[in-house]
Structure formats: C-alpha cells, structure tokens
C-alpha cells in the first residue's frame, strides 16, 4: 500500500513540475496588445469597464462643459498638414474628466482678461496617430505609435488664444501644425507681442496643471498621461457613451 502511494506521489510531482515549466512566463502585457505591445481600447464595453473602475477616465464632450470656447477642428477638414480629412464632420471633441476640469479653470480665468481659447484638436483616435506617423516620422512633431500620444489618451489639447471682443486669434508667430523651429517654445526671435501672447498661454495652462510640448507652442497635456489607456474609439462611439453620462456631472 505504501509502495503504491509513493508511486502516485512521484507521478503527481512530475506532472506538477512539467506543468509549471511549460507555462510561458508572464510579460505583464494584455492579450489585447497591438504590434507594438501596447494595449489600445477600441471597444465601447472595455472602455466602460475602465470608467466603472475609475470615474476620472470618462471622456467628456467639451462643448457641454466649456461654454464660450471657439472650435477649429482642423482634422475634420483638409486644412491640416496631412491635407486630408482624418475625422468625420464632428462639431465637438473630447477629453478625460480631469483635463476638462483643468481646462474649465483656464477658460474661467482667461475670461477676466477678455480672452478665450480656440481648440484645434483634443482627443485623437490611435488609428489616426498611426496614419500621421506614416507621413511625419519625427517625434518632435508627430507621436510615435510605438509610444502613443497624450491625444490618444484623452489628456492633450491643441489651442490658441482668442480676443473675445474681436473674435480674432492673438498673433503667435506661426500657425497650428507648423513644423519648424519658429514654433518651439524657446524660439525668441519674434515680435514682443507674440512672445507675450505665448507666455500668457503657457503660464495659464501650466498654472492649472498642463505641461507644454517644447516643439509646439499650441500643445499641452496633463503630466500623468500614462495612467490613462490609449483609445481608438470613434467619435460616434464617444457620442453614444456621452448620452449615458450623468447630465449633472460635477467637475
């Protein structure tokens, strides 16, 4: 009896060792990772699950929460460096809840100076970032899809300043998506009023938690971008999601 028991113990031990040796080691990556090893959410249900776990991950409609803001969503038109429409003809864009709350404070303070902001871009589907990289493979001006972008995570925004009375943009030295040294934050060979306007924009955005991109005076992002998942949800998906967001959501 004891002999048979020993045989069974040896068989179980051998099976257990072989089982654990044949299991591939965990890499910490989701099985939904893309070719770069990044986890990108393109499914509404998976996105809802992240929001259920953390309400700060909600993607909010900016027109609803930022009254008085002007929009010039360049990627809904051909007036951009790609010379093609990358988004459908939407009239609004989206950001994560903390980014909207911070931007709301920016808008409220600028109002005291008779200024507001114009938004060129905010949320950008990851699939669009991949298209941009095919044209501009320079991570000073386009996000490398192997890393993803703050736009893809819903925490980056491209903006300029608007004079409320005249409804005109303040001079910034270059237009949006100008891929030259002149657009860099440390470029100072510019008229005094341009340098002042850039300083006003940069200082107020930084005051409320945004970080500027050194090579693009118009680009600002929350510093904790990596705590938010990369998204490749369509604008139609976000519209559907926002229909079920609490109408009285406090920021």
């Amino acid at each position: 009896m004891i002999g048979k028991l020993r045989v069974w113990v040896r068989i179980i031990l051998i099976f257990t060792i072989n089982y654990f040796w044949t299991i591939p080691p965990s890499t910490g990556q989701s099985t939904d990772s893309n070719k770069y090893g990044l986890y990108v959410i393109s499914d509404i249900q998976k996105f809802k699950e992240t929001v259920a776990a953390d309400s700060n991950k909600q993607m909010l409609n900016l027109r609803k929460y930022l009254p008085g803001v002007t929009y010039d969503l360049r990627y809904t038109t051909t007036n951009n460096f790609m010379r093609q429409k990358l988004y459908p003809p939407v009239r609004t864009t989206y950001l994560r809840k903390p980014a909207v709350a911070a931007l709301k404070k920016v808008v409220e303070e600028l109002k005291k100076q008779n200024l507001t902001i114009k938004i060129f871009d905010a949320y950008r589907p990851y699939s669009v970032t991949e298209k941009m990289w095919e044209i501009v493979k320079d991570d000073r001006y386009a996000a490398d899809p192997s890393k993803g972008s703050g736009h893809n995570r819903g925490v980056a925004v491209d903006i300029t300043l608007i004079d409320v009375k005249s409804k005109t943009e303040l001079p910034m030295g270059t237009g949006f998506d100008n891929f030259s040294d002149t657009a860099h934050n440390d470029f100072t060979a510019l008229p005094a009023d341009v340098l002042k306007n850039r300083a006003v924009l940069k200082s107020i955005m930084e005051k409320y938690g945004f970080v500027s991109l050194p090579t693009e005076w118009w680009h600002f992002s929350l510093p904790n971008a990596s705590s938010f998942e990369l998204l490749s949800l369509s604008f139609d998906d976000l519209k559907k999601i926002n229909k079920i967001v609490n109408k009285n959501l406090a920021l």
Side-chain angles (χ1 to χ4, degrees):
M1 182 68 181
I2 294 177
K4 290 183 179 180
L5 181 61
R6 286 176 178 172
V7 170
W8 277 109
V9 170
R10 289 176 66 184
I11 291 173
I12 293 170
L13 181 61
I14 291 170
F15 173 80
T16 303
I17 292 173
N18 287 338
Y19 175 78
F20 283 105
W21 273 104
T22 55
I23 294 177
S26 173
T27 61
Q29 287 289 347
S30 164
T31 55
D32 295 324
S33 296
N34 67 5
K35 63 182 179 181
Y36 299 109
L38 300 176
Y39 177 58
V40 182
I41 295 177
S42 57
D43 177 82
I44 290 179
Q45 184 55 42
K46 288 183 180 179
F47 173 73
K48 287 181 180 179
E49 290 170 5
T50 67
V51 172
D54 183 352
S55 62
N56 279 326
K57 293 185 176 181
Q58 293 177 81
M59 290 285 284
L60 304 183
N61 181 336
L62 296 194
R63 280 194 180 271
K64 180 177 179 180
Y65 294 98
L66 300 177
V69 167
T70 300
Y71 295 85
D72 181 10
L73 302 176
R74 293 292 183 85
Y75 302 123
T76 66
T77 73
T78 58
N79 183 21
N80 57 67
F81 77 95
M82 295 282 285
R83 299 292 183 262
Q84 58 180 286
K85 295 179 181 180
L86 298 171
Y87 300 165
V90 293
R91 296 184 61 254
T92 190
T93 185
Y94 302 81
L95 286 173
R96 301 278 190 173
K97 182 180 175 182
V100 177
L103 202 56
K104 185 177 178 67
K105 292 177 182 178
V106 169
V107 172
E108 289 171 349
E109 184 162 329
L110 284 173
K111 187 177 180 180
K112 300 173 185 177
Q113 305 176 48
N114 292 314
L115 298 173
T116 188
I117 60 172
K118 174 184 280 188
I119 297 178
F120 297 117
D121 195 28
Y123 168 65
R124 180 182 304 159
Y126 178 84
S127 59
V128 173
T129 288
E130 291 183 297
K131 291 179 181 178
M132 289 179 170
W133 187 250
E134 292 174 3
I135 304 300
V136 181
K137 293 186 177 181
D138 184 339
D139 61 9
R140 294 177 301 168
Y141 306 115
D144 184 339
S146 69
K147 300 175 183 177
S149 164
H151 286 291
N152 307 148
R153 299 178 188 275
V155 294
V157 63
D158 296 331
I159 63 174
T160 192
L161 293 175
I162 293 283
D163 179 89
V164 173
K165 291 182 179 179
S166 66
K167 297 183 180 180
T168 58
E169 294 181 28
L170 299 192
M172 291 293 185
T174 75
F176 170 63
D177 269 357
N178 180 288
F179 301 152
S180 71
D181 292 350
T182 311
H184 293 195
N185 283 324
D186 61 1
F187 189 88
T188 58
L190 294 164
D193 62 331
V194 170
L195 294 176
K196 179 184 176 181
N197 294 337
R198 287 191 182 187
V200 168
L201 177 60
K202 186 171 182 287
S203 63
I204 196 168
M205 291 296 283
E206 290 179 344
K207 178 179 179 179
Y208 292 106
F210 290 94
V211 176
S212 64
L213 182 66
T215 55
E216 297 178 350
W217 60 258
W218 57 83
H219 178 102
F220 298 90
S221 180
L222 292 185
N224 58 334
S226 62
S227 63
F228 296 92
E229 292 84 3
L230 294 163
L231 304 176
S232 203
L233 296 166
S234 70
F235 285 92
D236 189 50
D237 288 337
L238 292 177
K239 184 178 179 180
K240 292 175 183 177
I241 292 166
N242 266 252
K243 285 183 178 180
I244 62 172
V245 171
N246 186 344
K247 295 181 180 180
N248 299 312
L249 178 67
L251 293 175

